[in-house]
Amino acid sequence: QVQLVESGGGLVQAGGSLRLSCAASGRDFSINAMGWYRQAPGKQRELVAAITNGGSTDYADSVKGRFTISRDNVKNTVYLQMNSLKPEDAALYYCNTFPYDPLLQGYDYWGQGTQVTVSS
């Protein structure tokens, strides 16, 4: 079955950096565009960054110039390098296909996410 395991989160001071990883298994994710999403308490889950199977990327305006998404299709792993972190970046971070469409992709599943906490 599909499994998405996010890791790399933690507590960091404002201005610091973290690198998140997402190990995907259970199907061939190399054919999918993938995204990093985040959800802060009391807010809806939002897309932070996306990458196509060919490596083209796009970012939310709030993270442009600070975050970099990348992928290793051999390892079925997606990464998010986060620099110059701000307190408003604090959230639970998830990866999944992009766009997330259970009917299209044939599963309705989110991993447990990885917590990012940024102290001011």
Side-chain angles (χ1 to χ4, degrees):
Q1 69 275 21
V2 169
Q3 193 168 21
L4 298 164
V5 180
E6 300 92 350
S7 62
L11 172 63
V12 64
Q13 286 189 331
S17 299
L18 286 172
R19 188 190 193 213
L20 308 184
S21 298
C22 171
S25 61
R27 58 179 280 172
D28 182 10
F29 283 91
S30 67
I31 64 173
N32 293 107
M34 297 294 290
W36 278 98
Y37 302 77
R38 68 186 180 188
Q39 187 167 19
K43 295 188 177 181
Q44 287 193 331
R45 187 176 288 149
E46 63 174 349
L47 178 71
V48 173
I51 184 167
T52 67
N53 58 351
S56 296
T57 60
D58 200 9
Y59 300 91
D61 288 343
S62 59
V63 307
K64 275 181 183 175
R66 300 187 298 121
F67 290 11
T68 303
I69 188 171
S70 60
R71 66 190 298 166
D72 183 331
N73 287 336
V74 174
K75 295 182 178 179
N76 246 1
T77 301
V78 184
Y79 304 97
L80 186 68
Q81 177 66 43
M82 305 188 298
N83 298 329
S84 302
L85 281 160
K86 303 176 180 181
E88 53 262 42
D89 294 318
L92 195 56
Y93 282 72
Y94 304 87
C95 74
N96 217 317
T97 55
F98 173 75
Y100 179 69
D101 186 334
L103 292 178
L104 182 66
Q105 63 211 25
Y107 69 86
D108 185 2
Y109 165 84
W110 290 88
Q112 295 205 339
T114 186
Q115 181 68 46
V116 171
T117 305
V118 184
S119 63
S120 56

